[in-house]
Amino acid sequence: MRTRTLTLSAAVGTALLAVAALPTSASGTANPRSAQEGSVSAAALLAKVTSCSQISSGKYRTDEETSATVPVCGKNGAVFWKADMDIDCDGQVTSKCNGSTDPWFQDDTAFHQSNGQALRADSLPYVVVPSTSSIWKYTNSGIKGGGVVAVIYNGKVEYAVVGDTGPTQIIGEASYATASALGIDPDPETGGTDSGVTYILFKNSQVSPIESHSAAVSLGDSLARQFIQNN
């Protein structure tokens, strides 16, 4: 897996105004339930992404030292890529995600909770998308902050949200909580996996509030069933 740099993207956008306290189920503080999540199996989803219709202008590297081999692929209602998983621990400072546990830690994320705070990487499953470049502009594909992602690894499905943006030429990164739920070592410095992860991002989807994992699972399961039907 790649050696992370200090050039991970800064947060974008203006924080939302604070809102009334969220219920526990939507607070982003509860640990995600173990994959598999939803009613659609990993095998059923993977059967629909065996071939790639490339929509990116080029390909991405999975690590700083590797060659560019990963395209972004298009399907009806989704885009996908197959890569590694590096661990993003950025966002709220917690006992698991902080400057001591993560040498590249940043206390912000590109997208924010409904109360304006950064996301919490150790409890909220989220995925990192590459920042806009000549290779690919994620917003042009209907991908937005809070969009639903089906993350598939080792026969398991975990639903996450688009929560952060990363380097312009590297792909394959998700939060501590995403890795943990899939049985991947979530240590931000030494964890992750070198291959075998499929990310399916559903177009024009958005979880509200972004920090509600239960809402991501519910919407993700519905979109996954549509994806199976339409591809």
Side-chain angles (χ1 to χ4, degrees):
M1 84 221 46
R2 70 181 170 89
T3 300
R4 292 176 65 192
T5 70
L6 292 176
T7 59
L8 293 179
S9 67
V12 297
T14 303
L16 298 174
L17 293 175
V19 296
L22 293 166
T24 302
S25 61
S27 67
T29 58
N31 290 328
R33 61 193 179 102
S34 297
Q36 158 153 355
E37 294 185 323
S39 61
V40 181
S41 69
L45 288 168
L46 291 176
K48 300 297 183 178
V49 294
T50 56
S51 62
C52 174
S53 176
Q54 183 171 330
I55 62 170
S56 55
S57 297
K59 296 182 179 180
Y60 289 95
R61 303 195 302 269
T62 58
D63 299 292
E64 291 285 356
E65 68 276 10
T66 62
S67 57
T69 60
V70 180
V72 176
C73 310
K75 299 290 285 188
N76 289 331
V79 302
F80 74 93
W81 56 81
K82 299 180 180 183
D84 64 343
M85 183 184 288
D86 296 308
I87 308 304
D88 190 340
C89 228
D90 293 343
Q92 294 183 37
V93 176
T94 68
S95 61
K96 295 175 182 176
C97 293
N98 56 68
S100 297
T101 62
D102 182 359
W104 308 278
F105 179 76
Q106 296 184 32
D107 62 358
D108 207 352
T109 48
F111 307 105
H112 297 118
Q113 293 184 166
S114 55
N115 64 359
Q117 291 184 313
L119 303 182
R120 180 172 170 171
D122 67 356
S123 62
L124 181 69
Y126 70 73
V127 165
V128 181
V129 296
S131 295
T132 295
S133 72
S134 59
I135 301 175
W136 183 54
K137 184 177 182 179
Y138 64 89
T139 54
N140 285 351
S141 297
I143 306 304
K144 62 186 75 174
V148 183
V149 187
V151 188
I152 305 162
Y153 177 75
N154 198 24
K156 298 177 181 178
V157 179
E158 174 72 9
Y159 288 105
V161 292
V162 174
D164 205 359
T165 56
T168 58
Q169 297 184 338
I170 293 176
I171 207 165
E173 187 173 6
S175 68
Y176 183 110
T178 310
S180 180
L182 289 168
I184 297 170
D185 181 357
D187 187 289
E189 185 171 10
T190 61
T193 184
D194 288 331
S195 62
V197 185
T198 299
Y199 304 81
I200 302 175
L201 292 74
F202 298 109
K203 295 179 180 179
N204 302 310
S205 63
Q206 193 164 39
V207 174
S208 181
I210 190 174
E211 65 269 22
S212 173
H213 181 59
S214 60
V217 174
S218 178
L219 181 56
D221 188 50
S222 174
L223 292 171
R225 284 186 268 112
Q226 291 179 30
F227 179 73
I228 296 297
Q229 293 173 357
N230 295 335
N231 288 278

